[in-house]
């Protein structure tokens, strides 16, 4: 199902376990005119995706608690909800493009704790 952006702002699912980083991502999404929803781990993210049909994009950290990491979540989203766009972020990992699902983007987050 493709989300019709002319009806309402696109919904972005933000999956981040670190509170400050999640709050920053929510602010960016709202400032861009989109509707954010939040998940603290991959299990919450899958439950949200199973209960909603309006998520257009998922923005996920790679290192997350839950039944899988963010990379596993990205592959699950690509298989189960192929219309959802995927952005992966990490301040500590730099996956190769071969590890990413097709059409997923990776952004290095240099504001992660422990980064200089």
């Amino acid at each position: 199902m493709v989300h019709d952006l002319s009806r309402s702002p696109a919904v972005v699912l933000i999956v981040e376990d670190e509170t400050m980083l999640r709050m920053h991502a929510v602010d960016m999404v709202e400032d861009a005119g989109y509707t954010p929803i939040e998940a603290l781990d991959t299990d919450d993210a899958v439950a949200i995706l199973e209960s909603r049909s309006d998520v257009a994009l998922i923005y996920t950290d790679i290192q997350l608690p839950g039944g899988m990491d963010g990379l596993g979540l990205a592959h699950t989203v690509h298989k189960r909800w192929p219309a959802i766009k995927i952005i992966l972020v990490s301040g500590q990992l730099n996956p190769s493009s071969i590890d990413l699902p097709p059409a997923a983007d990776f952004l290095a987050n240099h504001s992660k704790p422990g980064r200089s």
Side-chain angles (χ1 to χ4, degrees):
M1 174 176 204
V2 176
H3 184 72
D4 182 358
L5 296 177
S6 65
R7 288 187 174 170
S8 61
V11 174
V12 177
L13 174 58
I14 299 164
V15 190
E16 173 60 68
D17 60 324
E18 294 185 34
T19 302
M20 295 305 292
L21 294 174
R22 190 174 59 256
M23 289 172 52
H24 181 67
V26 166
D27 288 344
M28 286 190 313
V29 167
E30 288 175 337
D31 289 348
Y34 302 108
T35 302
I37 52 177
E38 303 172 46
L40 301 179
D41 61 37
T42 57
D43 297 332
D44 286 345
V46 170
I48 289 168
L49 291 168
E50 289 175 340
S51 69
R52 298 184 67 128
S53 62
D54 60 347
V55 175
L57 182 136
I58 183 169
Y59 174 97
T60 182
D61 189 11
I62 291 178
Q63 294 179 297
L64 289 167
M68 63 186 109
D69 64 9
L71 197 54
L73 175 63
H75 283 281
T76 297
V77 169
H78 175 71
K79 288 176 188 165
R80 292 184 62 186
W81 301 280
I84 296 177
K85 305 297 181 202
I86 303 166
I87 297 175
L88 290 123
V89 297
S90 180
Q92 298 172 345
L93 301 175
N94 190 4
S96 68
S97 60
I98 199 164
D99 294 328
L100 302 176
D105 289 312
F106 172 76
L107 301 173
N109 183 353
H110 297 291
S111 65
K112 277 281 233 191
R115 297 289 297 194
S116 49

